[in-house]
Amino acid sequence: DGGITQSPKYLFRKEGQNVTLSCEQNLNHDAMYWYRQDPGQGLRLIYYSQIVNDFQKGDIAEGYSVSREKKESFPLTVTSAQKNPTAFYLCASSMGRILGYTFGSGTRLTVV
Amino acid sequence: GEDVEQSLFLSVREGDSSVINCTYTDSSSTYLYWYKQEPGAGLQLLTYIFSNMDMKQDQRLTVLLNKKDKHLSLRIADTQTGDSAIYFCAESRRTGANNLFFGTGTRLTVIP
């Protein structure tokens, strides 16, 4: 079955460490997105990529980095520069406007 | 940026109808969506409506669109406990990349 997979589901990080969240899709979607979700604030766009080897900053890109070397994969690195990284992170992919987005099941990152 | 607005909370009794409201920002938005998020999970697309439609019905779900007021609503008939979740509206704007803009989400609680 086609879908979008995020791993791990839960992640704990010590302050000062970088950590990478995985996002893989086998839907043949061109576009991929990373969102951060905090209680009462909805979804905020971190980075997006519309095509391989290209990506754009979203509204809250500071302290994050991404790569898009393959169509199927769009990993997100949360760097030590991100001041408040504890959140629920959602990855999504899209083929076009009509179909909206397909979301992964999310990764909950906790800084300890 | 401009926000897509939703009330944060809604409580209804099992068997009653639920109406979740959303005010969006761009009068030229082409598609509007409703997503459902269950605890600890990603977002699931429930339904969408083209901007040239006033209403769309899909089983227990009815979407109403008032373009003049930029108001979108989702009505759930015969609400069940399994409908308890966070509901997000989202708009697809004409300008820029193929990004969706999400509301803050409405947490629906169904009381048995």
Side-chain angles (χ1 to χ4, degrees), chain A residues 74-112:
Chain A
F74 191 40
L76 173 74
T77 297
V78 184
T79 74
S80 57
Q82 169 49 235
K83 290 181 172 42
N84 186 20
T86 294
F88 190 53
Y89 290 88
L90 285 162
C91 179
S93 67
S94 173
M95 180 60 88
R97 290 181 191 272
I98 295 177
L99 298 177
Y101 290 2
T102 300
F103 279 86
S105 56
T107 293
R108 185 166 297 282
L109 173 63
T110 303
V111 174
V112 295

Side-chain angles (χ1 to χ4, degrees), chain A residues 9 33 35 37 40-43 45 48 50 88 90 94-101 103-106, chain B residues 8 30-31 33 35 37 40-43 45 48 50 88 92-94 96-100 102-104:
Chain A
K9 191 167 178 64
Y33 309 83
Y35 286 89
Q37 184 177 21
Q41 294 195 45
L43 304 181
L45 182 64
Y48 64 97
Q50 293 192 290
F88 190 53
L90 285 162
S94 173
M95 180 60 88
R97 290 181 191 272
I98 295 177
L99 298 177
Y101 290 2
F103 279 86
S105 56
Chain B
L8 287 181
T30 51
Y31 302 98
Y33 305 85
Y35 285 84
Q37 184 183 31
L43 276 66
L45 178 65
Y48 64 90
F50 297 144
F88 291 91
S92 174
R93 297 173 185 168
R94 278 193 190 276
N98 178 27
N99 293 346
L100 296 186
F102 289 85
T104 52

